[in-house]
PDB file of all heavy atoms in Angstrom:
ATOM      1  N   GLN A   1       1.057   3.856  16.374  1.00  0.00           N
ATOM      2  CA  GLN A   1       2.103   4.216  15.420  1.00  0.00           C
ATOM      3  C   GLN A   1       3.401   3.455  15.703  1.00  0.00           C
ATOM      4  O   GLN A   1       4.484   3.919  15.361  1.00  0.00           O
ATOM      5  CB  GLN A   1       2.372   5.731  15.462  1.00  0.00           C
ATOM      6  CG  GLN A   1       1.182   6.557  15.028  1.00  0.00           C
ATOM      7  CD  GLN A   1       1.388   8.055  15.135  1.00  0.00           C
ATOM      8  OE1 GLN A   1       0.604   8.828  14.592  1.00  0.00           O
ATOM      9  NE2 GLN A   1       2.430   8.493  15.841  1.00  0.00           N
ATOM     10  N   GLY A   2       3.287   2.310  16.337  1.00  0.00           N
ATOM     11  CA  GLY A   2       4.462   1.504  16.612  1.00  0.00           C
ATOM     12  C   GLY A   2       5.447   2.168  17.553  1.00  0.00           C
ATOM     13  O   GLY A   2       6.645   1.888  17.510  1.00  0.00           O
ATOM     14  N   GLY A   3       4.948   3.057  18.415  1.00  0.00           N
ATOM     15  CA  GLY A   3       5.819   3.742  19.361  1.00  0.00           C
ATOM     16  C   GLY A   3       6.512   4.959  18.798  1.00  0.00           C
ATOM     17  O   GLY A   3       7.346   5.566  19.482  1.00  0.00           O
ATOM     18  N   ASN A   4       6.181   5.363  17.575  1.00  0.00           N
ATOM     19  CA  ASN A   4       6.759   6.580  16.988  1.00  0.00           C
ATOM     20  C   ASN A   4       6.049   7.787  17.585  1.00  0.00           C
ATOM     21  O   ASN A   4       4.835   7.938  17.418  1.00  0.00           O
ATOM     22  CB  ASN A   4       6.601   6.559  15.467  1.00  0.00           C
ATOM     23  CG  ASN A   4       7.421   7.630  14.768  1.00  0.00           C
ATOM     24  OD1 ASN A   4       7.528   8.759  15.245  1.00  0.00           O
ATOM     25  ND2 ASN A   4       7.988   7.287  13.620  1.00  0.00           N
ATOM     26  N   ASN A   5       6.783   8.660  18.279  1.00  0.00           N
ATOM     27  CA  ASN A   5       6.144   9.832  18.890  1.00  0.00           C
ATOM     28  C   ASN A   5       6.476  11.116  18.138  1.00  0.00           C
ATOM     29  O   ASN A   5       6.321  12.209  18.674  1.00  0.00           O
ATOM     30  CB  ASN A   5       6.511   9.953  20.373  1.00  0.00           C
ATOM     31  CG  ASN A   5       7.938  10.438  20.603  1.00  0.00           C
ATOM     32  OD1 ASN A   5       8.763  10.469  19.692  1.00  0.00           O
ATOM     33  ND2 ASN A   5       8.235  10.826  21.839  1.00  0.00           N
ATOM     34  N   ASN A   6       6.894  10.966  16.878  1.00  0.00           N
ATOM     35  CA  ASN A   6       7.186  12.150  16.050  1.00  0.00           C
ATOM     36  C   ASN A   6       6.998  11.781  14.581  1.00  0.00           C
ATOM     37  O   ASN A   6       7.916  11.917  13.765  1.00  0.00           O
ATOM     38  CB  ASN A   6       8.614  12.640  16.294  1.00  0.00           C
ATOM     39  CG  ASN A   6       8.897  13.978  15.627  1.00  0.00           C
ATOM     40  OD1 ASN A   6       8.035  14.838  15.570  1.00  0.00           O
ATOM     41  ND2 ASN A   6      10.102  14.154  15.117  1.00  0.00           N
ATOM     42  N   ALA A   7       5.797  11.363  14.219  1.00  0.00           N
ATOM     43  CA  ALA A   7       5.530  10.835  12.877  1.00  0.00           C
ATOM     44  C   ALA A   7       5.288  11.942  11.855  1.00  0.00           C
ATOM     45  O   ALA A   7       4.486  11.786  10.934  1.00  0.00           O
ATOM     46  CB  ALA A   7       4.342   9.885  12.931  1.00  0.00           C
ATOM     47  N   TYR A   8       6.021  13.046  11.978  1.00  0.00           N
ATOM     48  CA  TYR A   8       5.807  14.201  11.108  1.00  0.00           C
ATOM     49  C   TYR A   8       6.107  13.900   9.643  1.00  0.00           C
ATOM     50  O   TYR A   8       5.581  14.565   8.743  1.00  0.00           O
ATOM     51  CB  TYR A   8       6.686  15.366  11.570  1.00  0.00           C
ATOM     52  CG  TYR A   8       8.138  15.255  11.169  1.00  0.00           C
ATOM     53  CD1 TYR A   8       8.629  15.969  10.082  1.00  0.00           C
ATOM     54  CD2 TYR A   8       9.007  14.416  11.853  1.00  0.00           C
ATOM     55  CE1 TYR A   8       9.957  15.852   9.699  1.00  0.00           C
ATOM     56  CE2 TYR A   8      10.326  14.299  11.482  1.00  0.00           C
ATOM     57  CZ  TYR A   8      10.808  15.016  10.401  1.00  0.00           C
ATOM     58  OH  TYR A   8      12.116  14.893  10.019  1.00  0.00           O
ATOM     59  N   CYS A   9       6.954  12.902   9.386  1.00  0.00           N
ATOM     60  CA  CYS A   9       7.375  12.607   8.015  1.00  0.00           C
ATOM     61  C   CYS A   9       6.854  11.264   7.537  1.00  0.00           C
ATOM     62  O   CYS A   9       7.321  10.750   6.510  1.00  0.00           O
ATOM     63  CB  CYS A   9       8.901  12.649   7.921  1.00  0.00           C
ATOM     64  SG  CYS A   9       9.744  11.516   9.065  1.00  0.00           S
ATOM     65  N   GLN A  10       5.885  10.705   8.224  1.00  0.00           N
ATOM     66  CA  GLN A  10       5.405   9.366   7.902  1.00  0.00           C
ATOM     67  C   GLN A  10       4.065   9.420   7.165  1.00  0.00           C
ATOM     68  O   GLN A  10       3.008   9.190   7.734  1.00  0.00           O
ATOM     69  CB  GLN A  10       5.299   8.525   9.183  1.00  0.00           C
ATOM     70  CG  GLN A  10       6.615   8.317   9.898  1.00  0.00           C
ATOM     71  CD  GLN A  10       7.624   7.578   9.042  1.00  0.00           C
ATOM     72  OE1 GLN A  10       7.262   6.753   8.200  1.00  0.00           O
ATOM     73  NE2 GLN A  10       8.904   7.875   9.243  1.00  0.00           N
ATOM     74  N   ASP A  11       4.149   9.743   5.881  1.00  0.00           N
ATOM     75  CA  ASP A  11       2.961   9.749   5.026  1.00  0.00           C
ATOM     76  C   ASP A  11       2.768   8.333   4.484  1.00  0.00           C
ATOM     77  O   ASP A  11       2.917   8.067   3.285  1.00  0.00           O
ATOM     78  CB  ASP A  11       3.144  10.766   3.897  1.00  0.00           C
ATOM     79  CG  ASP A  11       1.883  10.950   3.066  1.00  0.00           C
ATOM     80  OD1 ASP A  11       0.839  10.371   3.439  1.00  0.00           O
ATOM     81  OD2 ASP A  11       1.943  11.660   2.050  1.00  0.00           O
ATOM     82  N   ASN A  12       2.430   7.440   5.388  1.00  0.00           N
ATOM     83  CA  ASN A  12       2.323   6.020   5.067  1.00  0.00           C
ATOM     84  C   ASN A  12       1.505   5.359   6.174  1.00  0.00           C
ATOM     85  O   ASN A  12       0.857   6.049   6.967  1.00  0.00           O
ATOM     86  CB  ASN A  12       3.716   5.396   4.946  1.00  0.00           C
ATOM     87  CG  ASN A  12       4.601   5.736   6.141  1.00  0.00           C
ATOM     88  OD1 ASN A  12       4.163   5.648   7.290  1.00  0.00           O
ATOM     89  ND2 ASN A  12       5.844   6.146   5.889  1.00  0.00           N
ATOM     90  N   GLU A  13       1.558   4.062   6.258  1.00  0.00           N
ATOM     91  CA  GLU A  13       0.712   3.362   7.212  1.00  0.00           C
ATOM     92  C   GLU A  13       1.086   3.631   8.662  1.00  0.00           C
ATOM     93  O   GLU A  13       0.295   3.367   9.564  1.00  0.00           O
ATOM     94  CB  GLU A  13       0.725   1.860   6.922  1.00  0.00           C
ATOM     95  CG  GLU A  13       0.029   1.531   5.598  1.00  0.00           C
ATOM     96  CD  GLU A  13      -0.195   0.049   5.401  1.00  0.00           C
ATOM     97  OE1 GLU A  13       0.251  -0.739   6.263  1.00  0.00           O
ATOM     98  OE2 GLU A  13      -0.820  -0.321   4.395  1.00  0.00           O
ATOM     99  N   ILE A  14       2.281   4.163   8.909  1.00  0.00           N
ATOM    100  CA  ILE A  14       2.612   4.575  10.279  1.00  0.00           C
ATOM    101  C   ILE A  14       1.750   5.761  10.678  1.00  0.00           C
ATOM    102  O   ILE A  14       1.198   5.810  11.787  1.00  0.00           O
ATOM    103  CB  ILE A  14       4.103   4.930  10.398  1.00  0.00           C
ATOM    104  CG1 ILE A  14       4.972   3.691  10.200  1.00  0.00           C
ATOM    105  CG2 ILE A  14       4.397   5.573  11.765  1.00  0.00           C
ATOM    106  CD1 ILE A  14       6.462   3.978  10.205  1.00  0.00           C
ATOM    107  N   GLY A  15       1.616   6.735   9.785  1.00  0.00           N
ATOM    108  CA  GLY A  15       0.900   7.962  10.097  1.00  0.00           C
ATOM    109  C   GLY A  15      -0.588   7.920   9.810  1.00  0.00           C
ATOM    110  O   GLY A  15      -1.328   8.765  10.313  1.00  0.00           O
ATOM    111  N   TRP A  16      -1.042   6.967   8.987  1.00  0.00           N
ATOM    112  CA  TRP A  16      -2.458   6.888   8.648  1.00  0.00           C
ATOM    113  C   TRP A  16      -3.228   6.079   9.699  1.00  0.00           C
ATOM    114  O   TRP A  16      -2.691   5.148  10.307  1.00  0.00           O
ATOM    115  CB  TRP A  16      -2.637   6.212   7.285  1.00  0.00           C
ATOM    116  CG  TRP A  16      -1.922   6.886   6.158  1.00  0.00           C
ATOM    117  CD1 TRP A  16      -1.495   8.192   6.098  1.00  0.00           C
ATOM    118  CD2 TRP A  16      -1.531   6.273   4.922  1.00  0.00           C
ATOM    119  NE1 TRP A  16      -0.874   8.428   4.903  1.00  0.00           N
ATOM    120  CE2 TRP A  16      -0.876   7.274   4.153  1.00  0.00           C
ATOM    121  CE3 TRP A  16      -1.670   4.996   4.386  1.00  0.00           C
ATOM    122  CZ2 TRP A  16      -0.366   7.023   2.887  1.00  0.00           C
ATOM    123  CZ3 TRP A  16      -1.173   4.738   3.115  1.00  0.00           C
ATOM    124  CH2 TRP A  16      -0.531   5.742   2.380  1.00  0.00           C
ATOM    125  N   LEU A  17      -4.487   6.419   9.888  1.00  0.00           N
ATOM    126  CA  LEU A  17      -5.314   5.691  10.853  1.00  0.00           C
ATOM    127  C   LEU A  17      -5.561   4.263  10.373  1.00  0.00           C
ATOM    128  O   LEU A  17      -5.888   4.025   9.206  1.00  0.00           O
ATOM    129  CB  LEU A  17      -6.654   6.397  11.063  1.00  0.00           C
ATOM    130  CG  LEU A  17      -6.611   7.816  11.634  1.00  0.00           C
ATOM    131  CD1 LEU A  17      -8.006   8.248  12.065  1.00  0.00           C
ATOM    132  CD2 LEU A  17      -5.637   7.933  12.799  1.00  0.00           C
ATOM    133  N   ASP A  18      -5.430   3.331  11.304  1.00  0.00           N
ATOM    134  CA  ASP A  18      -5.533   1.907  10.989  1.00  0.00           C
ATOM    135  C   ASP A  18      -6.975   1.440  11.168  1.00  0.00           C
ATOM    136  O   ASP A  18      -7.308   0.704  12.108  1.00  0.00           O
ATOM    137  CB  ASP A  18      -4.581   1.126  11.902  1.00  0.00           C
ATOM    138  CG  ASP A  18      -4.453  -0.334  11.501  1.00  0.00           C
ATOM    139  OD1 ASP A  18      -5.041  -0.727  10.470  1.00  0.00           O
ATOM    140  OD2 ASP A  18      -3.784  -1.084  12.223  1.00  0.00           O
ATOM    141  N   TRP A  19      -7.830   1.842  10.239  1.00  0.00           N
ATOM    142  CA  TRP A  19      -9.242   1.477  10.317  1.00  0.00           C
ATOM    143  C   TRP A  19      -9.475  -0.036  10.300  1.00  0.00           C
ATOM    144  O   TRP A  19     -10.378  -0.528  10.992  1.00  0.00           O
ATOM    145  CB  TRP A  19     -10.021   2.143   9.187  1.00  0.00           C
ATOM    146  CG  TRP A  19     -10.223   3.605   9.395  1.00  0.00           C
ATOM    147  CD1 TRP A  19      -9.513   4.627   8.837  1.00  0.00           C
ATOM    148  CD2 TRP A  19     -11.193   4.225  10.241  1.00  0.00           C
ATOM    149  NE1 TRP A  19      -9.978   5.836   9.282  1.00  0.00           N
ATOM    150  CE2 TRP A  19     -11.014   5.624  10.143  1.00  0.00           C
ATOM    151  CE3 TRP A  19     -12.193   3.734  11.075  1.00  0.00           C
ATOM    152  CZ2 TRP A  19     -11.798   6.524  10.846  1.00  0.00           C
ATOM    153  CZ3 TRP A  19     -12.988   4.633  11.777  1.00  0.00           C
ATOM    154  CH2 TRP A  19     -12.783   6.012  11.653  1.00  0.00           C
ATOM    155  N   PRO A  20      -8.709  -0.813   9.529  1.00  0.00           N
ATOM    156  CA  PRO A  20      -8.978  -2.261   9.524  1.00  0.00           C
ATOM    157  C   PRO A  20      -8.870  -2.912  10.901  1.00  0.00           C
ATOM    158  O   PRO A  20      -9.474  -3.964  11.139  1.00  0.00           O
ATOM    159  CB  PRO A  20      -7.917  -2.804   8.559  1.00  0.00           C
ATOM    160  CG  PRO A  20      -7.646  -1.663   7.622  1.00  0.00           C
ATOM    161  CD  PRO A  20      -7.734  -0.438   8.491  1.00  0.00           C
ATOM    162  N   GLN A  21      -8.100  -2.297  11.809  1.00  0.00           N
ATOM    163  CA  GLN A  21      -7.936  -2.864  13.155  1.00  0.00           C
ATOM    164  C   GLN A  21      -8.725  -2.088  14.210  1.00  0.00           C
ATOM    165  O   GLN A  21      -8.455  -2.219  15.405  1.00  0.00           O
ATOM    166  CB  GLN A  21      -6.453  -2.877  13.533  1.00  0.00           C
ATOM    167  CG  GLN A  21      -5.573  -3.698  12.603  1.00  0.00           C
ATOM    168  CD  GLN A  21      -5.980  -5.161  12.569  1.00  0.00           C
ATOM    169  OE1 GLN A  21      -6.293  -5.752  13.601  1.00  0.00           O
ATOM    170  NE2 GLN A  21      -5.995  -5.745  11.375  1.00  0.00           N
ATOM    171  N   ALA A  22      -9.691  -1.301  13.793  1.00  0.00           N
ATOM    172  CA  ALA A  22     -10.429  -0.454  14.733  1.00  0.00           C
ATOM    173  C   ALA A  22     -11.186  -1.290  15.763  1.00  0.00           C
ATOM    174  O   ALA A  22     -11.820  -2.294  15.433  1.00  0.00           O
ATOM    175  CB  ALA A  22     -11.398   0.443  13.975  1.00  0.00           C
ATOM    176  N   ASP A  23     -11.115  -0.852  17.016  1.00  0.00           N
ATOM    177  CA  ASP A  23     -11.790  -1.507  18.139  1.00  0.00           C
ATOM    178  C   ASP A  23     -13.187  -0.904  18.275  1.00  0.00           C
ATOM    179  O   ASP A  23     -13.366   0.190  18.807  1.00  0.00           O
ATOM    180  CB  ASP A  23     -10.965  -1.274  19.405  1.00  0.00           C
ATOM    181  CG  ASP A  23     -11.537  -1.977  20.631  1.00  0.00           C
ATOM    182  OD1 ASP A  23     -12.733  -2.302  20.639  1.00  0.00           O
ATOM    183  OD2 ASP A  23     -10.777  -2.164  21.600  1.00  0.00           O
ATOM    184  N   GLU A  24     -14.190  -1.621  17.802  1.00  0.00           N
ATOM    185  CA  GLU A  24     -15.561  -1.118  17.804  1.00  0.00           C
ATOM    186  C   GLU A  24     -16.072  -0.888  19.222  1.00  0.00           C
ATOM    187  O   GLU A  24     -16.826   0.056  19.478  1.00  0.00           O
ATOM    188  CB  GLU A  24     -16.482  -2.082  17.051  1.00  0.00           C
ATOM    189  CG  GLU A  24     -16.382  -1.988  15.555  1.00  0.00           C
ATOM    190  CD  GLU A  24     -16.913  -0.653  15.034  1.00  0.00           C
ATOM    191  OE1 GLU A  24     -17.924  -0.158  15.562  1.00  0.00           O
ATOM    192  OE2 GLU A  24     -16.299  -0.099  14.099  1.00  0.00           O
ATOM    193  N   ALA A  25     -15.682  -1.741  20.140  1.00  0.00           N
ATOM    194  CA  ALA A  25     -16.144  -1.585  21.522  1.00  0.00           C
ATOM    195  C   ALA A  25     -15.600  -0.296  22.131  1.00  0.00           C
ATOM    196  O   ALA A  25     -16.301   0.385  22.901  1.00  0.00           O
ATOM    197  CB  ALA A  25     -15.715  -2.788  22.352  1.00  0.00           C
ATOM    198  N   LEU A  26     -14.365   0.066  21.785  1.00  0.00           N
ATOM    199  CA  LEU A  26     -13.789   1.291  22.323  1.00  0.00           C
ATOM    200  C   LEU A  26     -14.466   2.515  21.718  1.00  0.00           C
ATOM    201  O   LEU A  26     -14.668   3.524  22.401  1.00  0.00           O
ATOM    202  CB  LEU A  26     -12.284   1.321  22.064  1.00  0.00           C
ATOM    203  CG  LEU A  26     -11.496   2.414  22.789  1.00  0.00           C
ATOM    204  CD1 LEU A  26     -11.668   2.300  24.302  1.00  0.00           C
ATOM    205  CD2 LEU A  26     -10.019   2.344  22.418  1.00  0.00           C
ATOM    206  N   ILE A  27     -14.826   2.424  20.442  1.00  0.00           N
ATOM    207  CA  ILE A  27     -15.583   3.526  19.827  1.00  0.00           C
ATOM    208  C   ILE A  27     -16.903   3.724  20.563  1.00  0.00           C
ATOM    209  O   ILE A  27     -17.290   4.854  20.898  1.00  0.00           O
ATOM    210  CB  ILE A  27     -15.839   3.254  18.332  1.00  0.00           C
ATOM    211  CG1 ILE A  27     -14.528   3.210  17.547  1.00  0.00           C
ATOM    212  CG2 ILE A  27     -16.762   4.323  17.745  1.00  0.00           C
ATOM    213  CD1 ILE A  27     -14.693   2.821  16.084  1.00  0.00           C
ATOM    214  N   ALA A  28     -17.598   2.631  20.828  1.00  0.00           N
ATOM    215  CA  ALA A  28     -18.888   2.718  21.529  1.00  0.00           C
ATOM    216  C   ALA A  28     -18.713   3.304  22.924  1.00  0.00           C
ATOM    217  O   ALA A  28     -19.539   4.113  23.383  1.00  0.00           O
ATOM    218  CB  ALA A  28     -19.537   1.338  21.592  1.00  0.00           C
ATOM    219  N   PHE A  29     -17.659   2.901  23.621  1.00  0.00           N
ATOM    220  CA  PHE A  29     -17.383   3.433  24.955  1.00  0.00           C
ATOM    221  C   PHE A  29     -17.127   4.939  24.892  1.00  0.00           C
ATOM    222  O   PHE A  29     -17.680   5.713  25.699  1.00  0.00           O
ATOM    223  CB  PHE A  29     -16.177   2.708  25.543  1.00  0.00           C
ATOM    224  CG  PHE A  29     -15.672   3.290  26.834  1.00  0.00           C
ATOM    225  CD1 PHE A  29     -16.377   3.133  28.013  1.00  0.00           C
ATOM    226  CD2 PHE A  29     -14.482   4.006  26.865  1.00  0.00           C
ATOM    227  CE1 PHE A  29     -15.910   3.671  29.212  1.00  0.00           C
ATOM    228  CE2 PHE A  29     -14.004   4.545  28.047  1.00  0.00           C
ATOM    229  CZ  PHE A  29     -14.719   4.378  29.225  1.00  0.00           C
ATOM    230  N   THR A  30     -16.323   5.376  23.928  1.00  0.00           N
ATOM    231  CA  THR A  30     -16.029   6.804  23.791  1.00  0.00           C
ATOM    232  C   THR A  30     -17.292   7.581  23.460  1.00  0.00           C
ATOM    233  O   THR A  30     -17.527   8.672  24.000  1.00  0.00           O
ATOM    234  CB  THR A  30     -14.958   7.024  22.704  1.00  0.00           C
ATOM    235  OG1 THR A  30     -13.824   6.196  22.980  1.00  0.00           O
ATOM    236  CG2 THR A  30     -14.523   8.476  22.659  1.00  0.00           C
TER     237      THR A  30
END
């Protein structure tokens, strides 16, 4: 979230999950 630790009012790309940049290897690890 670009270092935002209180995104309560960010109904936009700050607050939404960034699927286009998802790390597939990290998903597999988890």
Side-chain angles (χ1 to χ4, degrees):
Q1 296 177 167
N4 192 321
N5 74 347
N6 189 37
Y8 78 101
C9 57
Q10 298 299 329
D11 187 6
N12 50 46
E13 292 190 356
I14 293 176
W16 302 338
L17 298 192
D18 189 4
W19 286 100
Q21 300 299 318
D23 183 339
E24 282 293 321
L26 191 58
I27 296 175
F29 172 73
T30 307

